[in-house]
Amino acid sequence: MSTEIPLKFYDIVDEYSTETAEQVSETERDSLAHYFQLLVTRLMNNEEIGEDAQKEMADEAGINPKRIDEIASFLNQWGNE
């Protein structure tokens, strides 16, 4: 990654990894942290995050698109706690 990802996004990856159906591999951690950073940044800026935006961010971060729906559910649950 060209920019350093704050540790708080790795903490989110750690929490997500305990709740995901598909195990998070060590090689996915940077990509997932980047994806969470992109998502949370948009949420904090009150930007809409539709399906197309999620796919773009997944592509930019390099995550498996199959994780998008599960991550959205995780963040919804996480945000409600």
Side-chain angles (χ1 to χ4, degrees):
M1 302 270 133
S2 58
T3 60
E4 192 168 320
I5 300 166
L7 288 177
K8 64 184 174 184
F9 296 107
Y10 286 94
D11 291 340
I12 298 170
V13 171
D14 290 342
E15 182 69 27
Y16 167 72
S17 70
T18 66
E19 298 182 21
T20 183
E22 186 177 330
Q23 186 174 352
V24 173
S25 70
E26 198 59 38
T27 58
E28 288 180 288
R29 288 181 50 77
D30 287 338
S31 296
L32 285 168
H34 186 192
Y35 185 70
F36 281 117
Q37 181 180 28
L38 293 170
L39 281 171
V40 171
T41 299
R42 283 193 181 206
L43 288 170
M44 291 177 66
N45 291 333
N46 293 319
E47 295 178 42
E48 188 172 324
I49 304 175
E51 283 185 41
D52 290 340
Q54 290 175 41
K55 288 177 185 174
E56 283 178 23
M57 288 183 286
D59 187 48
E60 179 181 335
I63 69 161
N64 185 333
K66 293 189 289 186
R67 290 204 182 266
I68 293 172
D69 289 339
E70 187 178 57
I71 288 171
S73 295
F74 166 76
L75 285 177
N76 283 332
Q77 180 183 0
W78 185 63
N80 290 328
E81 291 179 358

